[in-house]
Amino acid sequence: MDAKDILGLPKNALPIQEKKSKPPKESQRKPDGISREVYALTGGLAPLMPAVDVNQLKRKAQSDNEKITWQWLPFTNSARKDSLQLYHWVRVVNGIPPTGDYSFAKYNKSVDVLKYTDEEYEKYLTDPAWTKEETDQLFDLCERFDLRFIVVADRFPSSKTVEELKDRYYSVSRAILIARALSPGDVATHPLVKETYNASQETERKRALNLLLSHTKQQERKDVEVLAQAKKISEARKASKASEESELPVLSDIGSLGADKATADTVNPSTNSQIPSSSITAPVSETASVIASLRMLRVYLRSYALEQMVQAASSSAGLRTIKRVEQTLQDLGVNLKPKVPTKAVCAEHLELRKEILTLLNLQKQ
Amino acid sequence: MAQTVENDVQLEGNATESNLKPQRLKITRFSDDSDKKILLKRLKDVEISVPIVYGTIAFWLGRKATETQSHKWTVYVRGATNEDLGVVIKRAVFQLHPSFNNPVRVVESPPFELSECGWGEFEIAISLFFHNDVCEKQLDLYHHLKLYSEDESGPQSTKKPVVVETYNEIVFPDPSEDFYARVQKHPAVIVPRLPVTINLPSVLATNVEDLNEKRGDTKDHPLSQWFNNFSEADELLKLAAARQQVGPLTS
C-alpha cells in the first residue's frame, strides 16, 4: 500500500481490473465436447484439431448389431511340428469363433538347402580342403540354422572361417544345380549360378570395413584432410592443364591415392603410409595452382603474388594459427609484408612463413 | 570480344630480321590461349619484372599557404633505380579526389608524375597502361596522399617534405618474344637469361625516347634528393637470420 502511495498510483484501479479479468475467463471455460479437466490439460486453450473425431469413438460399437465377446480358447499352430495346443483370447462375434490358421504361421519360412547324394558328392563335389564328413556337417548345420553362417561357424566342429564355410556351401550348391540341370540354360538365371561367391574378396572387404570402423578420431581427421588435398590436387591438375603446365610429377602418386579413396570397399592400410608423403607434396600443388591463376592475370604486383602464396600456404591453418605465425614474425623482427618485395625477398619470406607454420603444427602435437 | 593489336611502333627504327614480316600484325584475341601463343609467341617459364617505386612528396607552402591550398604535392611512379619506365609503361592515369578539377589526369609519357596543390589527404588511384606488346591489361595501384608528418614535433617546414614511397615489382609471367627482345638490355627491367637454345634478335637501336627532348628517367629529377633507397639486402639479412632461428626447430 505504501508502495502505491510512493508511486502515486490510484488505489482503486486494481480491484476494477480484477473484476474485469474474471468474467471473461469464466465464459472461456465452457467448452463443448470435451470435459473441463481435459480442457485444462491443454493449458486452457483449444486444441488445434482433434486428433480423432470424437463422435466416431463410441459409435462404431453401437452401429454393429452384432454381439462381441472375448473368449479364452485353445488354438493350433501349423508351423509347429508337434501338436502342442495353447490358449489365447479370441474375439468371438455372435457366438461364432474365428476360423483359419494361427495368424503368425505364415511367417515360418525356411531356406531350401540342397541335399546331395553320395554319388553326386563323389562325382562333382570333392575338394582337397574339405572331407565329406565336414561337408555333410556343414549342410546339416546350414539347414538347421537357416543359413545363419555366423551361428554355423560357431557350431562347426573344426574351426573354419565364415568365408570358408560360405565358399564351400555356395560352390557345392552351385555345382549340384549345374549338374542336375538338364541343360545349362535352365539354371543360368538361378541366383546361385549367376553370382559366384568370392571368398578372398569378402575377406578383404570385411577386413577393410573393420579397419574403417576402428578408425580413431585422428585417423578420421587425416582421411578428411587427404581427401581435401586430393580434391585440391585434381583441381590444380585442371588449372595447370588449362595453362599448359607440365609440372607436378607427384600427380601419378596422388592420382592413385585419389582413386584408392574413391572406392570405399578397398581402403588399404597402405594408404596410411601414403599420407605423410602426400601432405608434403600438397603445399607444392597449392602454390602451383596459385602460380597458374597468377599467370592468368598477365600482369600483377609481386606483393600481390606473395599475398596469394601466403594465403594458399596457410589455407589449412585456422585463424588462430595464422595470428600466431604473424606474432612469431614480429618477434623475429620481420615485416609482415616485406618493405622491399623483390623475387628473392618474397621467396625467403614465403619459406619462413611455411617453416613457422610447420613449427607451430609440430608444437601442437 | 576480339581486339586487334598493331605492332608497328616497335618495328620502326629496328634493323632486325623480324621486320621483313608484314608491317602490321593483326592479332585477334579470343579466350583460347593457343591462338595467342601462335601469334604473339610468348616465352614460357620466363618472368620479366620491373621494379618500381610509387608515392607522394608533399611540401608545406608556408607563408603562401591558403585555406584551400596549404600544400604542394607530387604523385609519381618511377623506376626503382630511377631508370626510364617508358619502355614498359605507355601511360599512367592518376585518379584524384572528385573535388579536384578534372580528377582523372592522364600522363602520356615518362616521367609519370603529377603535381597539384591542395589541403586534404585522400587515396590516389594510379592505373598503369602498358605498351601493346607488353600487356593488354592495366595494373592498378593505390596510394594514400600524406601531407602531415607522423611526428608532430614542431611546426611544419617548407624545406622538408613529407615523403611516402612504396616499392613493388610489376611481374609479367609470360612475356611475348617482342617484349623480351625489346627490353632485354634495358636497365629498368629485370630480365632473366634465356637458355642458349632460344635465339632472339637483339634490339640494336637505343630507345627512341632518349633521342627526343624529354628524359624519361628520374636520375636527375628535381625531387630526386628525397627519393628513398630501397635495398633488398637489409630485408634478406633479417629473413635469413629468422630462418636460421626457426629452421633447426622444425627438423
Side-chain angles (χ1 to χ4, degrees):
Chain A
M1 295 300 279
D2 296 320
K4 285 171 206 156
D5 276 335
I6 296 166
L7 289 171
L9 283 173
K11 290 173 201 173
N12 297 330
L14 282 174
I16 300 167
Q17 279 175 11
E18 278 173 26
K19 274 187 197 164
K20 275 189 184 169
S21 60
K22 266 187 187 171
K25 242 187 174 179
E26 285 288 344
S27 63
Q28 272 175 19
R29 273 190 192 166
K30 280 182 192 165
D32 32 323
I34 313 178
S35 70
R36 197 155 35 107
E37 284 80 18
V38 176
Y39 207 69
L41 276 176
T42 60
L45 300 163
L48 291 168
M49 183 74 191
V52 179
D53 197 2
V54 185
N55 302 327
Q56 276 190 3
L57 285 171
K58 279 190 181 168
R59 233 177 256 166
K60 202 178 179 185
Q62 291 166 2
S63 61
D64 282 350
N65 293 324
E66 302 157 347
K67 234 177 124 185
I68 305 289
T69 52
W70 283 88
Q71 290 179 10
W72 182 254
L73 294 174
F75 70 97
T76 53
N77 186 351
S78 61
R80 292 195 73 93
K81 295 198 185 86
D82 50 21
S83 50
L84 177 66
Q85 245 200 11
L86 296 170
Y87 292 78
H88 64 188
W89 285 107
V90 180
R91 186 173 181 269
V92 178
V93 183
N94 285 344
I96 306 165
T99 52
D101 195 11
Y102 181 56
S103 59
F104 293 104
K106 61 180 184 273
Y107 298 116
N108 187 36
K109 298 266 187 217
S110 64
V111 183
D112 298 323
V113 172
L114 291 170
K115 286 196 171 46
Y116 50 82
T117 63
D118 292 345
E119 269 179 42
E120 280 176 325
Y121 187 88
E122 296 300 315
K123 264 210 264 183
Y124 311 110
L125 308 173
T126 52
D127 187 282
W130 286 79
T131 68
K132 184 167 191 308
E133 203 184 294
E134 285 184 324
T135 316
D136 288 344
Q137 278 176 334
L138 169 65
F139 268 74
D140 177 49
L141 285 172
C142 283
E143 194 177 330
R144 275 168 63 192
F145 294 114
D146 289 328
L147 289 190
R148 292 191 176 91
F149 281 102
I150 309 249
V151 183
V152 171
D154 190 48
R155 295 246 171 169
F156 204 73
S158 54
S159 64
K160 292 226 186 253
T161 67
V162 174
E163 284 81 31
E164 283 176 2
L165 298 173
K166 277 191 183 179
D167 195 21
R168 183 65 179 146
Y169 172 78
Y170 288 123
S171 48
V172 164
S173 306
R174 195 162 187 271
I176 294 175
L177 274 175
I178 293 174
R180 289 184 188 166
L182 300 165
S183 72
D186 278 348
V187 272
T189 52
H190 194 284
L192 269 174
V193 173
K194 247 192 357 182
E195 274 115 54
T196 48
Y197 179 78
N198 189 341
S200 53
Q201 193 192 46
E202 282 293 296
T203 337
E204 204 41 51
R205 182 181 68 88
K206 286 186 184 169
R207 194 171 62 82
L209 270 177
N210 249 329
L211 211 65
L212 202 64
L213 206 63
S214 53
H215 264 171
T216 61
K217 260 196 182 167
Q218 210 184 23
Q219 272 186 306
E220 266 181 44
R221 267 191 273 136
K222 276 193 190 163
D223 277 348
V224 172
E225 267 179 40
V226 172
L227 280 169
Q229 282 168 5
K231 206 179 171 192
K232 273 187 212 166
I233 288 160
S234 55
E235 278 169 18
R237 228 182 187 173
K238 283 184 211 162
S240 60
K241 267 188 187 162
S243 61
E244 294 179 18
E245 231 181 279
S246 57
E247 292 172 11
L248 305 172
V250 293
L251 270 179
S252 54
D253 191 35
I254 306 292
S256 63
L257 178 64
D260 226 319
K261 282 285 169 188
T263 56
D265 279 346
T266 55
V267 169
N268 265 322
S270 60
T271 54
N272 287 334
S273 62
Q274 282 183 34
I275 288 171
S277 64
S278 68
S279 64
I280 297 169
T281 54
V284 173
S285 68
E286 280 166 358
T287 49
S289 65
V290 171
I291 292 171
S293 61
L294 285 172
R295 286 181 69 179
M296 288 287 149
L297 292 176
R298 293 261 169 252
V299 64
Y300 55 87
L301 282 173
R302 206 180 283 289
S303 59
Y304 172 78
L306 180 62
E307 264 172 53
Q308 296 294 306
M309 304 270 216
V310 166
Q311 233 179 45
S314 336
S315 57
S316 56
L319 192 59
R320 217 188 301 165
T321 323
I322 297 174
K323 290 260 181 276
R324 285 172 67 196
V325 170
E326 294 182 350
Q327 184 62 48
T328 318
L329 283 170
Q330 280 179 335
D331 294 339
L332 290 164
V334 170
N335 297 316
L336 287 179
K337 290 193 181 177
K339 289 273 185 283
V340 190
T342 63
K343 190 165 184 170
V345 167
C346 287
E348 286 287 306
H349 188 99
L350 187 66
E351 287 310 305
L352 178 62
R353 270 194 188 245
K354 282 185 188 170
E355 279 174 4
I356 295 176
L357 200 62
T358 319
L359 181 65
L360 290 178
N361 283 334
L362 285 174
Q363 281 177 349
K364 249 195 261 182
Q365 291 164 2
Chain B
M1 269 203 314
Q3 276 191 16
T4 55
V5 174
E6 289 163 358
N7 262 4
D8 34 305
V9 174
Q10 139 240 352
L11 291 173
E12 279 175 340
N14 288 350
T16 57
E17 283 171 24
S18 56
N19 287 3
L20 301 176
K21 290 184 197 162
Q23 289 284 323
R24 282 170 188 239
L25 280 174
K26 252 199 188 162
I27 299 165
T28 44
R29 181 160 41 128
F30 297 98
S31 54
D32 186 9
D33 236 40
S34 55
D35 265 355
K36 254 185 168 167
K37 282 199 165 60
I38 296 167
L39 296 165
L40 260 180
K41 276 203 272 182
R42 294 193 167 269
L43 298 167
K44 266 183 69 173
D45 300 330
V46 172
E47 177 185 280
I48 291 187
S49 43
V50 185
I52 57 165
V53 174
Y54 60 95
T56 52
I57 298 183
F59 286 91
W60 182 51
L61 290 175
R63 284 184 300 126
K64 298 187 194 154
T66 67
E67 279 279 329
T68 51
Q69 312 224 316
S70 58
H71 290 74
K72 179 177 195 302
W73 49 265
T74 311
V75 59
Y76 57 87
V77 180
R78 65 175 173 89
T81 48
N82 292 313
E83 297 292 345
D84 182 8
L85 289 178
V87 65
V88 175
I89 302 178
K90 186 161 67 170
R91 86 175 85 95
V93 177
F94 297 91
Q95 179 105 21
L96 306 179
H97 193 268
S99 59
F100 279 90
N101 262 338
N102 302 324
V104 181
R105 307 279 172 94
V106 182
V107 181
E108 296 279 2
S109 63
F112 299 102
E113 64 181 41
L114 166 71
S115 298
E116 259 290 353
C117 293
W119 57 267
E121 301 183 338
F122 58 90
E123 184 176 79
I124 305 174
I126 309 169
S127 301
L128 299 176
F129 293 84
F130 306 102
H131 290 295
N132 297 331
D133 62 342
V134 176
C135 181
E136 288 122 353
K137 283 199 185 155
Q138 68 191 71
L139 185 66
D140 297 321
L141 312 167
Y142 300 92
H143 181 85
H144 182 83
L145 167 67
K146 227 164 161 299
L147 301 178
Y148 302 94
S149 74
E150 286 288 333
D151 51 331
E152 293 153 25
S153 58
Q156 300 177 73
S157 141
T158 53
K159 299 281 173 16
K160 254 189 94 185
V162 175
V163 181
V164 183
E165 284 190 322
T166 312
Y167 174 96
N168 219 316
E169 296 187 351
I170 309 177
V171 182
F172 301 98
D174 285 325
S176 69
E177 275 189 6
D178 299 331
F179 176 35
Y180 183 91
R182 196 158 59 81
V183 300
Q184 62 177 320
K185 300 253 174 75
H186 198 281
V189 179
I190 300 176
V191 171
R193 256 182 304 138
L194 285 181
V196 194
T197 50
I198 301 177
N199 268 324
L200 286 175
S202 56
V203 174
L204 299 174
T206 51
N207 244 328
V208 187
E209 280 93 31
D210 282 351
L211 306 173
N212 292 344
E213 331 76 33
K214 202 165 72 154
R215 322 167 51 151
D217 66 291
T218 46
K219 292 201 183 117
D220 290 328
H221 196 277
L223 293 172
S224 57
Q225 60 176 302
W226 306 113
F227 291 165
N228 286 326
N229 262 329
F230 290 92
S231 119
E232 60 171 353
D234 200 31
E235 201 127 34
L236 276 177
L237 272 174
K238 279 235 179 73
L239 285 168
R243 284 192 71 185
Q244 271 197 348
Q245 280 193 39
V246 177
L249 298 174
T250 58
S251 57

